[in-house]
Amino acid sequence: MTRQIAQVAVDNATIHFDKRYSYRIPPPMQGRVWPGSLVLVPFGRGDKPRMAVVLAVQEETQENASPRLKSLWDAAPEQARLTPDLMELVRFLKERTFCTWFEAVRAVIPYGAQYRCTLENGRPVMQNCLNRTTERVYTLAGELPAKPKPGPRQLAAVEALRQGPLTASQLEERGISKPTLDTLCRKGVLQEGRQDRMLDLFASIPFDPQPITLAGEQQHALEALLPDLEDDRPHAALLHGVTGSGKTMVFLKLIERTLELGRKALVLVPEISLTPQMIRRLKSTFGSRLAVQHSALNNTERLLQWRMIQQGNADIVVGTRSAIFAPLQNLGLIILDEEQEHTYQSESAPRYDAHDVAKKRAAIENALLVFASATPRTETYHAAANGKYKLVTLKQRYGERPLPKVDFIDMRAELAAGNPREVSARMAQELQKNLDNGEQSILLLNRRGYHTVGMCTVCGHVLNCPNCSVPLVYHKPQQALMCHHCGHTVQPLPQTCPECGGKLRYSGFGTQRVEEELAELLPQARVLRMDQDSTGQKNAHEKMLAEFGRHDYDILLGTQMVAKGLDFEKVTLVGVLGIDSLLFGQGFRAYENVFSLVTQVIGRGGRAELPGRALIQTTVPGHPVLQLAAAQDYEAFYREEIAFRKFGLYPPFCAFCVAGFVGAQEGAVALAAHRFGTLLAERAARRPHIPMRLLGPAPMNISMLNGKYRYKLTIKCRNDAAFRALLRETLEAYAQEKLPQKASVVLDFNSDGDL
């Protein structure tokens, strides 16, 4: 006689008790529980209900079974089960990011598809976190009786349903109300059921496929990639093309071939602001079997899109980082557009990099993975240059259009000439020229707000956030100081120093300040500001970009969200403001980030018939990174950067792990970080074959965040199974000494030096 045993991992676990726990599957649930099932279990001494995920199901004989095993309380329906490939991704996240099992589960499935515990008749049961995602659907079940004489609405309902089932909302659009439908159901004429609510997020985009004509270089790129798409092995490639070279058209042809092969495609973009244009192209070319996954959708929309994918009703998925977990079956193509962007890296548990998860999915599905960028990450280009990925290049703009002409404006000379504004005289002249010609302009300033620093003119005190070690930023519309990290707000605006009573002086500039300057300098210009403050409402990105595309505005002023992926034929001038602060930023990727940002935003100009030009305002016009970005010379930049990386032993020549420590008392956090380093060093000394360099501890760049102090250890290592085992052993020792009570620890392999 045998019985089934489920090995599960429970929710709300810390790393030291995030283990497999065995539970008996009661007879009524046998055949309903598989690996990947979500279940409800009694946990701990008090048998408190906990959600859990099933990791394995085993058969056990009665003789060998432990009589003390507890039984599962409830199990989710089969359609909520994580498929074997999604469970493989859960295991991958657990192994690589040091998260708990259930943190990985929550990353893989959206909130609406998750379950929680509730009480039903005093008994703990599972309930969907979101249960308002179905709608009534009616089917014709019989003929309408002649007596009593049916009304016109009843006749209309029956005629409409002769063509097939319709939802309540579809019938309501035809003037047929619920009372009429209820009457027909009582007569047995109609049958009422429920189905997942239908949601077409792109109904306004017409299906209008246009022939895709590739230039010679694009055709060669496609022909280089097709063999890897068409065989049954995993492949990876880097599509490196200058801005405006037509990489998206190559994507469309690859997707077209993927669908012809009966497989499915996944397209990732780095930011929500880039999804509208990509969705428009994909929907107009391939029709309605397109689903979206990104954080701007509400929970209901996201769940319905996820179910659409899960049920096999989507051939293409487009989205931001989390879309890498979309439950697509028979996946043949994965595209990471603008692959250099840091937004592909998660900043909360599990701290995964979409690059790594994409490589794992491609290996599982035998798919082609295409990284694409005009400014790829140094690690990605190094892998391609050394044959690990196939390198495919596009060196010319589509239609042989020239790259924008770039010029520098020395802001030291502007100041010497008596211009205190952040918009230089030359920039204002060029913007006016575009206005006169009916052309559009884009201005990049990667700082939001009005003034960025408030300082006392007497004692030098800086107005910092009380919860974070950063200056408060003045936002003029709210007449308030705000923290961009924790949201702390000071209102009304202080006029005197809280330390000495001296006069405060506000300085620095953000997008709000430049917007005001533009209104003074160019009163006839229609300026659209696009930053985190102005895009808070739902679908704000899409609406703003559509308005700019219709030429409702002349100048688009924004932060990084305007720097990449946008394609407007009337944009002929691009201006870069305030770039110097990024040039001298911390982290080994600082130069790479500046080169990418400047190159990308310059590439927004001159993408159609009209030639483009760009102006860069800086106090260091001769800086080599800016000069290389202006020349759009990625290969030369890569040679400089890879030499620096090799000399300093940075990725790709080693892995970079940051151990972050967070707690309420600064001294305790510093001591905990030091102790972790000691524990790690002691264990590493017993394994001399594991290469490792340990730096720190030291305060993080932002040493206090949300009232918690933050320290870090930086570890240069080889990210392999042996090193990860060493880290796990150190974490166990750290927990045994009760140090997590003083400072929680987070491990991140994707950071460039800070968390």
Side-chain angles (χ1 to χ4, degrees), residues 251 266-270 324 334-340 344 353-356 358-359 369-373:
F251 298 165
L266 172 61
V267 182
L268 298 187
V269 293
I324 192 61
I334 304 171
I335 295 170
L336 263 76
D337 194 18
E338 306 292 358
E339 68 88 30
Q340 80 283 355
Y344 282 125
D353 184 342
H355 292 74
D356 297 330
K359 285 185 274 190
L369 169 60
V370 178
F371 300 110
S373 177

Side-chain angles (χ1 to χ4, degrees), residues 182-376:
D182 290 343
T183 300
L184 291 173
C185 287
R186 286 195 297 271
K187 291 181 177 181
V189 178
L190 303 185
Q191 185 175 358
E192 179 184 333
R194 298 199 76 82
Q195 69 176 26
D196 280 344
R197 198 183 324 155
M198 300 302 293
L199 181 68
D200 188 354
L201 294 174
F202 327 111
S204 62
I205 303 174
F207 176 49
D208 183 24
Q210 300 293 325
I212 303 168
T213 304
L214 299 185
E217 222 182 16
Q218 293 172 315
Q219 186 63 37
H220 291 150
L222 178 66
E223 290 169 358
L225 293 169
L226 281 178
D228 292 345
L229 178 68
E230 293 170 351
D231 74 5
D232 291 328
R233 292 178 299 162
H235 295 277
L238 169 61
L239 180 58
H240 176 218
V242 298
T243 55
S245 57
K247 294 184 288 294
T248 302
M249 297 174 75
V250 178
F251 298 165
L252 295 177
K253 294 296 284 186
L254 285 171
I255 294 169
E256 182 179 74
R257 182 59 182 148
T258 302
L259 301 186
E260 289 173 356
L261 294 169
R263 305 190 73 183
K264 299 185 178 181
L266 172 61
V267 182
L268 298 187
V269 293
E271 292 187 18
I272 296 167
S273 62
L274 300 185
T275 53
Q277 287 195 346
M278 184 63 75
I279 289 167
R280 187 166 294 278
R281 290 187 177 187
L282 292 172
K283 171 68 185 298
S284 62
T285 304
F286 298 108
S288 61
R289 289 178 64 84
L290 171 71
V292 170
Q293 290 283 280
H294 60 65
S295 58
L297 302 179
N298 63 40
N299 287 328
T300 299
E301 290 170 338
R302 193 163 187 177
L303 174 60
L304 291 173
Q305 292 284 292
W306 192 80
R307 284 183 178 166
M308 177 184 173
I309 302 164
Q310 185 189 43
Q311 293 164 6
N313 296 323
D315 297 324
I316 306 166
V317 173
V318 60
T320 48
R321 179 181 64 227
S322 61
I324 192 61
F325 302 113
L328 280 166
Q329 298 295 310
N330 196 18
L331 183 59
L333 176 66
I334 304 171
I335 295 170
L336 263 76
D337 194 18
E338 306 292 358
E339 68 88 30
Q340 80 283 355
E341 288 301 319
H342 70 90
T343 48
Y344 282 125
Q345 298 169 5
S346 172
E347 296 178 349
S348 59
R351 292 174 176 266
Y352 67 91
D353 184 342
H355 292 74
D356 297 330
V357 183
K359 285 185 274 190
K360 180 66 175 178
R361 285 208 79 171
I364 294 171
E365 302 275 0
N366 290 318
L368 169 62
L369 169 60
V370 178
F371 300 110
S373 177
T375 55

Side-chain angles (χ1 to χ4, degrees), residues 117-146:
C117 176
T118 188
L119 292 178
E120 189 176 280
N121 299 323
R123 187 173 67 90
V125 295
M126 295 171 65
Q127 183 185 69
N128 231 182
C129 286
L130 201 62
N131 52 25
R132 297 190 301 274
T133 61
T134 60
E135 60 183 341
R136 289 175 287 123
V137 61
Y138 293 91
T139 307
L140 194 60
E143 288 301 321
L144 192 60

Side-chain angles (χ1 to χ4, degrees), residues 3 65-70:
R3 65 179 183 178
S66 169
R68 301 177 60 187
L69 278 187
K70 300 175 184 179

Side-chain angles (χ1 to χ4, degrees), residues 639-689:
R639 290 193 296 270
E640 295 285 334
E641 184 70 8
I642 202 69
F644 157 71
R645 299 278 186 96
K646 189 173 185 178
F647 178 79
L649 191 61
Y650 290 111
F653 300 102
C654 73
F656 213 69
C657 177
V658 175
F661 302 85
V662 180
Q665 302 295 324
E666 184 175 13
V669 174
L671 287 173
H674 185 272
R675 182 57 183 159
F676 186 95
T678 302
L679 293 170
L680 179 61
E682 290 173 352
R683 282 152 182 77
R686 299 195 290 267
R687 298 172 176 83
H689 62 283

Side-chain angles (χ1 to χ4, degrees), residues 404-567:
K405 180 184 176 183
V406 183
D407 204 356
F408 289 90
I409 299 172
D410 190 337
M411 295 304 286
R412 294 169 300 181
E414 285 285 320
L415 201 58
N419 179 16
R421 297 181 185 274
E422 310 309 332
V423 178
S424 65
R426 168 82 184 281
M427 186 74 76
Q429 290 169 5
E430 295 295 329
L431 289 168
Q432 183 64 58
K433 187 184 298 183
N434 261 30
L435 286 174
D436 295 340
N437 294 335
E439 299 167 11
Q440 292 177 293
S441 309
I442 291 179
L443 294 181
L444 167 71
L445 172 59
N446 201 36
R447 286 196 298 271
R448 62 191 178 100
Y450 190 87
H451 285 304
T452 54
V453 177
M455 179 184 290
C456 177
T457 57
V458 177
C459 71
H461 174 73
V462 175
L463 297 179
N464 281 340
C465 173
N467 307 315
C468 310
S469 55
V470 295
L472 292 165
V473 177
Y474 170 41
H475 284 247
K476 192 169 184 178
Q478 294 85 6
Q479 284 293 300
L481 296 176
M482 299 174 64
C483 175
H484 287 176
H485 293 274
C486 71
H488 178 78
T489 302
V490 177
Q491 207 170 21
L493 185 70
Q495 300 298 327
T496 57
C497 175
E499 296 293 315
C500 72
K503 184 180 179 182
L504 291 172
R505 179 178 178 270
Y506 292 96
S507 60
F509 62 100
T511 49
Q512 293 176 3
R513 168 86 177 273
V514 172
E515 181 183 30
E516 188 175 279
E517 284 192 6
L518 291 172
E520 295 172 1
L521 291 167
L522 307 164
Q524 74 277 31
R526 299 165 298 174
V527 179
L528 176 63
R529 176 169 56 85
M530 195 170 179
D531 55 25
Q532 193 172 329
D533 297 313
S534 64
T535 57
Q537 293 185 349
K538 185 175 175 60
N539 298 325
H541 296 91
E542 185 170 1
K543 291 175 183 175
M544 287 183 170
L545 294 176
E547 289 168 350
F548 190 69
R550 293 194 304 265
H551 208 158
D552 294 346
Y553 292 91
D554 304 302
I555 301 172
L556 176 60
L557 164 68
T559 52
Q560 285 195 37
M561 60 181 69
V562 306
K564 46 199 169 285
L566 304 182
D567 192 350

Side-chain angles (χ1 to χ4, degrees), residues 661-673 703-704 707-711 741-744:
F661 302 85
V662 180
Q665 302 295 324
E666 184 175 13
V669 174
L671 287 173
S703 60
M704 186 172 70
K708 298 291 182 70
Y709 292 93
R710 297 157 22 106
Y711 274 70
Q741 298 172 9
K742 296 181 179 179
S744 60

